[in-house]
Amino acid sequence: MVFKRLLGSPGVGGPSVDTVLEPGPVRPGGTLAGQVRLVGGDTAFDVEQVALELVARVRDGEDGGKGVAVPFERFAIGGGFRLDEGEARTVPFGVTLPWETPVTELDGRELDVRLGVRTELAVAGTQTPETPETLETPEAPEAPEAPEAPEAGNDPDPDLDPLGVGPLPAQEAILGAFRQLGYGLRSAGLEHGRIGGTGQRLPFHQEIGLTPAPSYADRVEEIALTFLTHPGGIDVVLEADKRGGGNAGGDDTGHDALSRFTVGHDDARDWATEVDGWVRELVEHREAYGSDSAYGHGGPHSSGPGIG
């Protein structure tokens, strides 16, 4: 079996692929629905598998700020049929997004977070130097020969269908509380690595950077917020970037402080009071004991007990 990723131009005489997602954003843990529309090419193909791959563009310190494409979930949605010459066939799908899927929009505002859906076909056949596979596309970025081991790449991929993801109600409530307290949205990117001491499953996490409220402006430079969502609730990870060269705990390393709080999906709380208490606990703990004693963090984006 030859596995080949189909891009926008799969090759002369090859089948065409058009993936159509249902309109509107989906939520983490929710159902992504749509259909893959195939039209046969100049010859028939035995399609062994139709698959969808979720891809995120993740910041990397060595990529010049462009980010690298990281596949983070894969779904087999169909296959086992023959696509005849010129035949039109639709493969409907409904797949469940990972709970940790990052959000791409807040309050209708698009964030600088790029997620996409890549469609791939596994086609039965052989490939020899004398008889190249019909779906071969030499000018396309290098693709894996087998579906089980996709590699990240730093090439722009115009053939990804953009994926919009909105926040869960609890995420929206927490972000609304930060806004109510005077915090501002500075950034929202994807970072490589896992946060130590958590059940994080994806190889990256979303970091939402917030400018501090006036009451903390002289004590922290930024509050970084990460949601690690799972079926039972949300782990809210807060990180305080220190302002200045030291703090009351005598720590001059420039390390950040990090703390974690857990909420349920259906919790009804006074979120403004709750969030204010989280930040106060985070900042006061760091100032009292030094940032190295903070939860699960040995330094900013370290490979030790913190983010690695």
Side-chain angles (χ1 to χ4, degrees), residues 35-286:
Q35 47 184 239
V36 175
R37 299 170 181 171
L38 305 173
V39 177
D42 293 345
T43 186
F45 289 94
D46 290 322
V47 178
E48 299 290 340
Q49 185 183 88
V50 183
L52 301 178
E53 188 172 61
L54 304 184
V55 180
R57 189 157 292 278
V58 181
R59 289 192 296 227
D60 187 294
E62 300 178 356
D63 66 3
K66 295 182 296 183
V68 295
V70 178
F72 65 94
E73 188 60 280
R74 184 180 185 79
F75 308 96
I77 61 168
F81 59 85
R82 185 173 183 83
L83 186 66
D84 290 325
E85 177 182 348
E87 177 188 359
R89 180 184 287 260
T90 297
V91 181
F93 62 85
V95 298
T96 302
L97 290 187
W99 282 97
E100 290 180 15
T101 301
V103 299
T104 64
E105 59 181 67
L106 295 173
D107 296 325
R109 170 184 172 183
E110 290 189 4
L111 304 177
D112 187 21
V113 174
R114 294 175 59 190
L115 302 181
V117 179
R118 176 183 292 150
T119 305
E120 301 179 344
L121 297 186
V123 180
T126 59
Q127 184 174 356
T128 66
E130 296 78 15
T131 309
E133 170 62 28
T134 305
L135 300 185
E136 184 67 16
T137 311
E139 63 274 18
E142 183 178 352
E145 287 288 318
E148 55 271 14
E151 295 292 334
N154 58 8
D155 56 288
D157 194 340
D159 298 283
L160 290 178
D161 293 286
L163 172 60
V165 180
L168 292 163
Q171 293 174 320
E172 203 163 25
I174 292 168
L175 288 164
F178 272 106
R179 185 169 55 249
Q180 180 183 340
L181 292 167
Y183 295 83
L185 179 63
R186 174 177 286 171
S187 61
L190 304 183
E191 301 283 348
H192 272 295
R194 290 181 169 88
I195 301 177
T198 70
Q200 181 183 338
R201 300 178 62 87
L202 296 185
F204 58 84
H205 57 279
Q206 183 169 28
E207 196 171 87
I208 300 173
L210 303 171
T211 57
S215 55
Y216 291 103
D218 60 340
R219 300 162 75 181
V220 295
E221 179 72 27
E222 181 180 87
I223 296 292
L225 167 65
T226 295
F227 293 117
L228 297 179
T229 308
H230 48 85
I234 303 172
D235 289 338
V236 182
V237 181
L238 296 180
E239 186 176 20
D241 289 352
K242 64 180 294 184
R243 180 181 290 280
N247 59 42
D251 175 64
D252 294 316
T253 64
H255 289 177
D256 304 336
L258 188 151
S259 295
R260 181 181 69 172
F261 309 89
T262 301
V263 303
H265 289 296
D266 300 319
D267 283 2
R269 309 188 188 186
D270 180 344
W271 288 110
T273 300
E274 192 84 12
V275 166
D276 189 54
W278 292 346
V279 176
R280 183 171 61 253
E281 178 180 330
L282 172 68
V283 174
E284 291 179 354
H285 181 84
R286 188 199 62 189

